[in-house]
C-alpha cells in the first residue's frame, strides 16, 4: 500500500463534516485500501492517530494507535489499534483535563487543550461490527482530537489561552512549562 500526503490547516477538506461510510461499503476494496494507506501513513510519521480527512478523504474513518516508545509523545502509554468508523461520542466524566496536543496537519506546533476526561464512543469497526468503548485520560484526548477531524474541527480551535500555542522546537527548549 502507500504512504499518502497529509494535508495541512488551510485546506478546506479539514473543515468539512466528513461523510459517514455506508455499512455495506465498509468491507469494500476501497475502504480496505484506505485503511491500509492510513495505517502506513500514520506509522511513517510516528503519529498516534490519523483521520481520513487528513489525507484529503472526507469520510468518517479514523485510526488510533499509540505505539511503544512514541518519540512525539514520550509520556504516552501504548494502546492497541482502533479503527473507528461513523463514531458517536458521549461524555461520561466531564471533568476537564489538559494536554499539549500536536497534529500532523498542523506541523511544528503544539497547543494546550482541555477536554473531558472520560468518554464513550459508539462506532463501527473495519468488520462493520457495532462497538462501544470507554476511554479515559490521555487516550480520551487522543480520541476526541481524532474524531474532531471528522467534524471539521482542529485542536487549535480549542486552545483557550493562545499564549499556549507554541512551536514544538521552542517548547523542547523550555520543557519546564507544565501547563
Ligand atoms: Zn490532528
Amino acid at each position: 500500500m502507500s504512504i499518502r500526503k497529509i494535508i495541512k490547516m488551510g485546506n478546506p477538506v479539514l473543515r468539512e463534516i466528513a461523510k459517514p461510510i455506508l455499512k455495506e461499503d465498509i468491507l469494500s476494496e476501497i475502504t480496505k485500501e484506505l485503511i491500509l494507506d492510513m495505517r502506513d501513513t500514520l506509522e511513517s510519521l510516528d503519529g498516534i492517530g490519523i483521520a481520513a480527512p487528513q489525507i484529503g478523504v472526507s469520510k468518517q474513518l479514523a485510526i488510533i494507535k499509540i505505539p511503544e516508545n512514541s518519540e512525539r509523545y514520550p509520556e504516552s502509554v501504548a494502546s492497541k489499534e482502533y479503527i473507528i468508523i461513523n463514531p458517536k461520542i458521549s461524555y461520561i466524566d466531564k471533568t476537564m483535563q489538559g494536554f499539549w496536543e500536536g497534529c500532523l496537519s498542523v506541523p511544528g506546533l503544539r497547543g494546550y487543550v482541555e477536554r473531558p476526561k472520560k468518554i464513550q464512543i459508539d462506532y463501527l469497526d473495519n468488520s462493520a461490527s457495532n462497538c462501544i468503548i470507554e476511554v479515559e485520560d490521555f487516550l480520551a484526548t487522543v480520541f476526541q482530537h481524532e474524531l474532531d477531524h471528522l467534524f471539521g474541527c482542529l485542536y487549535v480551535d480549542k486552545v483557550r489561552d493562545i499564549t499556549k500555542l507554541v512551536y514544538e522546537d521552542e517548547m523542547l527548549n523550555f520543557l519546564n512549562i507544565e501547563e
Side-chain angles (χ1 to χ4, degrees):
M1 291 300 115
S2 53
I3 293 171
R4 305 275 290 263
K5 182 170 178 264
I6 297 283
I7 63 172
K8 291 186 288 193
M9 181 166 66
N11 186 313
V13 173
L14 291 171
R15 295 308 192 172
E16 289 173 10
I17 295 179
K19 289 197 176 57
I21 301 178
L22 295 174
K23 207 166 178 179
E24 56 269 32
D25 288 342
I26 292 177
L27 299 174
S28 71
E29 282 309 308
I30 291 177
T31 305
K32 278 186 201 161
E33 260 179 48
L34 177 59
I35 290 169
L36 291 173
D37 284 0
M38 285 170 59
R39 184 186 284 143
D40 286 351
T41 307
L42 180 63
E43 281 174 6
S44 76
L45 297 168
D46 186 37
I48 58 179
I50 188 170
Q54 292 184 278
I55 58 166
V57 177
S58 194
K59 292 183 179 175
Q60 290 189 16
L61 168 59
I63 300 180
I64 290 161
K65 185 182 185 209
I66 305 178
E68 301 280 348
N69 310 316
S70 166
E71 270 180 41
R72 277 171 60 80
Y73 297 92
E75 307 293 308
S76 59
V77 179
S79 79
K80 61 170 251 192
E81 180 185 73
Y82 298 91
I83 297 174
I84 307 284
I85 297 168
N86 304 346
K88 304 254 179 310
I89 292 189
S90 35
Y91 298 96
I92 296 172
D93 182 349
K94 287 188 175 168
T95 309
M96 301 297 264
Q97 58 173 4
F99 291 101
W100 285 93
E101 298 187 21
C103 182
L104 299 173
S105 295
V106 190
L109 293 178
R110 290 291 170 115
Y112 188 78
V113 181
E114 291 183 274
R115 301 179 186 268
K117 187 179 164 54
K118 189 171 183 186
I119 58 172
Q120 175 181 305
I121 305 108
D122 294 66
Y123 65 100
L124 298 171
D125 67 9
N126 55 326
S127 57
S129 308
N130 287 297
C131 304
I132 299 180
I133 50 166
E134 284 181 13
V135 289
E136 59 188 326
D137 303 326
F138 182 63
L139 193 56
T141 275
V142 177
F143 269 81
Q144 289 172 82
H145 174 121
E146 292 310 326
L147 302 187
D148 271 356
H149 276 300
L150 308 180
F151 300 94
C153 183
L154 297 173
Y155 84 81
V156 291
D157 307 346
K158 297 190 169 172
V159 175
R160 276 194 304 167
D161 174 355
I162 205 72
T163 67
K164 290 179 180 165
L165 182 64
V166 303
Y167 284 99
E168 226 159 28
D169 52 356
E170 292 291 357
M171 188 176 157
L172 294 175
N173 293 330
F174 299 100
L175 261 185
N176 53 347
I177 22 175
E178 274 291 287
E179 48 179 75

